[in-house]
Amino acid sequence: MISYKATVVSNSRFKMKLKTVWRKVSDYVRYDLKEIAFPSSLPDPPHFKKRRKLSLKERYLVLKEASRLYAASRVRDIGPELRPNDYKKKREILVDEEYGSRKHKEPSTLEDLAVAARGGMETLRPALQRVYMTRASAYKDALKSFIQGYQEGIQQTMEKIKDSKSSEDTDASSSKGPT
């Protein structure tokens, strides 16, 4: 009878250990492994109000609106042939070429950057470098002109000081003249 009790106690201890191990492994898989594989972002601040989950119909309406906006934006990128206003511009250019004068306007910096942004990072980087180099040369020229003007101002001030000292010296020497 004692041996039977000992085996029941040892089996119950084994079962408890097995349950503990199973609980720890399942918790690891449920929480820690999921966090390692797919890390979550930082928790929301306390004042942040969470939005309710959208219903299936609301999700469909959001997807429908987003796809409509995306399709509308893509039509503009297809090319100038699909834009009706460009036909007028082409006709004007053809008419101007017939008469010997062609109007060619260079694109502004903003238009240049917009076209480069559509092309991706490879085309955007040189366009941004051109903008930054233009700005840097403008700042450099402005700084040179400021320094030059500052130096001229210092020279004028120094000349005025010399003139005033020399006129004071001549006034002082003429007043100390022969008496």
Side-chain angles (χ1 to χ4, degrees), residues 60-78:
Y60 171 73
L61 293 175
V62 167
L63 180 64
K64 182 179 170 184
E65 180 68 15
S67 61
R68 185 189 68 78
L69 291 172
Y70 177 74
S73 71
R74 296 303 296 169
V75 169
R76 291 186 203 113
D77 291 341
I78 289 176

Side-chain angles (χ1 to χ4, degrees), residues 10-178:
S10 67
N11 278 345
S12 65
R13 284 184 187 165
F14 178 74
K15 285 182 180 179
M16 289 192 51
K17 285 183 181 180
L18 189 62
K19 284 182 180 179
T20 304
V21 169
W22 176 253
R23 183 177 45 83
K24 288 183 178 182
V25 168
S26 63
D27 285 348
Y28 176 77
V29 169
R30 186 180 307 142
Y31 302 112
D32 298 335
L33 188 64
K34 186 171 106 178
E35 188 65 29
I36 291 170
F38 307 105
S40 62
S41 60
L42 293 173
D44 293 327
H47 67 277
F48 186 77
K49 294 181 182 177
K50 291 187 177 181
R51 294 181 181 177
R52 66 175 180 80
K53 290 190 175 185
L54 298 176
S55 68
L56 194 57
K57 184 177 180 181
E58 290 170 333
R59 286 183 187 180
Y60 171 73
L61 293 175
V62 167
L63 180 64
K64 182 179 170 184
E65 180 68 15
S67 61
R68 185 189 68 78
L69 291 172
Y70 177 74
S73 71
R74 296 303 296 169
V75 169
R76 291 186 203 113
D77 291 341
I78 289 176
E81 290 79 26
L82 295 179
R83 298 180 197 152
N85 292 334
D86 286 343
Y87 286 120
K88 295 175 187 174
K89 291 178 185 175
K90 282 184 180 180
R91 285 186 204 134
E92 289 174 5
I93 290 173
L94 290 174
V95 169
D96 289 341
E97 284 178 354
E98 288 176 7
Y99 293 112
S101 66
R102 182 176 176 162
K103 298 176 184 175
H104 183 68
K105 185 176 77 171
E106 291 203 18
S108 69
T109 306
L110 185 61
E111 292 170 345
D112 189 27
L113 285 176
V115 170
R118 286 184 186 156
M121 197 59 191
E122 296 82 21
T123 55
L124 186 60
R125 182 169 295 167
L128 285 175
Q129 285 176 346
R130 281 194 305 273
V131 169
Y132 289 138
M133 292 303 287
T134 305
R135 290 180 71 185
S137 66
Y139 288 140
K140 187 174 138 183
D141 293 342
L143 189 61
K144 277 184 182 178
S145 106
F146 173 76
I147 290 172
Q148 185 180 8
Y150 188 77
Q151 288 174 345
E152 288 174 1
I154 289 176
Q155 286 176 351
Q156 289 174 358
T157 306
M158 295 302 283
E159 288 173 1
K160 287 180 183 177
I161 291 173
K162 284 182 184 177
D163 290 342
S164 65
K165 281 187 180 180
S166 64
S167 65
E168 287 177 10
D169 288 343
T170 56
D171 289 342
S173 64
S174 63
S175 64
K176 287 187 179 180

